[in-house]
Amino acid sequence: MTLTVPAMMTARVPGPDSGENRVLPMPDLTYTPEVAAETAHLYDRVKHVVPPVEWPFHAPYVAAINRLKKERDAVILAHNYQTPEIYNCVADVVGDSLQLAKLAARSTARIIVQGGVHFMAETSKLLNPDKMVLIPDLKAGCSLASSITGADIRRLREAYPGVPVVAYVNTSAEVKAEVDICCTSANAVQVVESLGVDRVLFVPDQYLAKYVASKTKVQIISWHGACEVHERFTGEELRRYREADPSIRIIAHPECPPDVIAEADFTGSTAGMIDYATSQKGGKVLLVTECSMADNVAASARDVEFVRPCNLCPHMKRITLPKILDSLLTLQHRVEIPEELAVRARRSVERMINLQN
Ligand code: 13P
Ligand code: SF4
């Protein structure tokens, strides 16, 4: 007789690992009075965005994840676009891509769980080659990262000999290995100017490239990638919001098209947007970015009214509490980067990080 093992079970069968890396059993996920008491202080952080009827579903996962993090010696790094229950209730570190990369470099934990997309987990692995880096869903990609390959960079270098290549961190390790330096939305202008040249190739975001070009005298040659979330906003829709309330402050991410940036009172990385929003004393702020960020910022800026012309990032939303729990139990999916590639990709990321210090 043949026994068929369901796919989920095969994923849970321990491989060569044993001891501290063994697969752990699924904990009881009942919402008991003990779980309610254990998580009450965390619900307080998200009660403005998570209705009471939903909390009994989240709380058992929150409690289990927080216990398991200690048992596994793991930290959870969460991007600003993660859902409020991840961002506020299980994350150890939150931030934009640059902050997460820097904090990943300083982590002392044995395991890093990336609450974010695949390129972010790769960056964490590049900076922590000896640690186990886990991404709870391997399909958490990014339209920018998938718009360009290492072979594309080699072709660009042939077409523009001697012109340095700057890659947005929203790229694969394969691309990072081919470029001169990385940048994030927080430091793109500084990175471009640090090269001391008249022209740079800037990949893959055409809109971030335009934004950088508007802030520097360096000539920017760009790629045609775009963020599927930010490219959908239009200047026209922002003008309508401003007509309805001229006092509104519009804050946009530099991955937005130029007509959107032209309408913004402030443009910056997600961390820059949060700082700007929380510095507003009251009033109405329109966040031109991914939906969850307004929910997360609202927690620390209670006197600000947030307007959310909300676009979801489907990749960020692949990361959920059940998948984070599964990741900690099974230690899947481990991010591995071939050493020869990692050495070159790490150089590009570290060059950027060292520039900041
Ligand atoms: P930040 O580095 O500004 O957080 O941006 C990352 C990102 O993916 C925005 O879409
Ligand atoms: Fe990529 Fe855009 Fe999603 Fe950020 S919001 S991860 S740039 S698709």
Side-chain angles (χ1 to χ4, degrees), residues 185-265:
S185 57
N187 61 16
V189 177
Q190 186 197 356
V191 167
V192 163
E193 294 191 337
S194 76
L195 298 171
V197 293
D198 298 335
R199 280 205 303 177
V200 302
L201 284 150
F202 189 99
V203 300
D205 187 353
Q206 57 181 300
Y207 296 126
L208 182 60
K210 282 199 170 75
Y211 175 72
V212 173
S214 75
K215 300 278 171 202
T216 180
K217 289 195 168 67
V218 180
Q219 189 196 341
I220 307 288
I221 307 162
S222 65
W223 189 247
H224 51 69
C227 161
E228 66 187 84
V229 174
H230 292 94
E231 72 174 345
R232 299 213 305 269
F233 294 109
T234 65
E236 179 53 35
E237 78 182 290
L238 301 190
R239 279 191 291 280
R240 281 201 299 272
Y241 280 106
R242 204 178 301 270
E243 271 160 32
D245 182 353
S247 74
I248 200 163
R249 311 296 290 167
I250 299 181
I251 312 182
H253 194 274
E255 289 171 9
C256 293
D259 65 323
V260 171
I261 307 269
E263 295 299 326
D265 297 296

Side-chain angles (χ1 to χ4, degrees), residues 10-29:
T10 52
R12 288 180 182 282
V13 172
D17 287 334
S18 57
E20 61 186 3
N21 286 346
R22 73 196 184 285
V23 174
L24 299 175
M26 182 64 81
D28 181 11
L29 294 170

Side-chain angles (χ1 to χ4, degrees), residues 77 97-98 100-102 104-105 112 114 117-129 133 168-173 176 182-184 335 337 345-346 348-350 352-353:
L77 308 187
S97 307
L98 182 60
L100 293 183
K102 283 181 168 177
I112 294 174
Q114 197 79 36
V117 291
H118 196 262
F119 76 80
M120 294 177 176
E122 277 192 336
T123 305
S124 293
K125 182 66 183 176
L126 288 172
L127 297 171
N128 292 278
V133 176
Y168 194 23
V169 278
N170 296 38
T171 45
S172 63
K176 290 183 174 81
C182 287
C183 75
T184 71
V335 177
I337 304 168
R346 187 176 303 123
S348 301
V349 177
E350 284 180 344
M352 167 188 80
I353 290 182

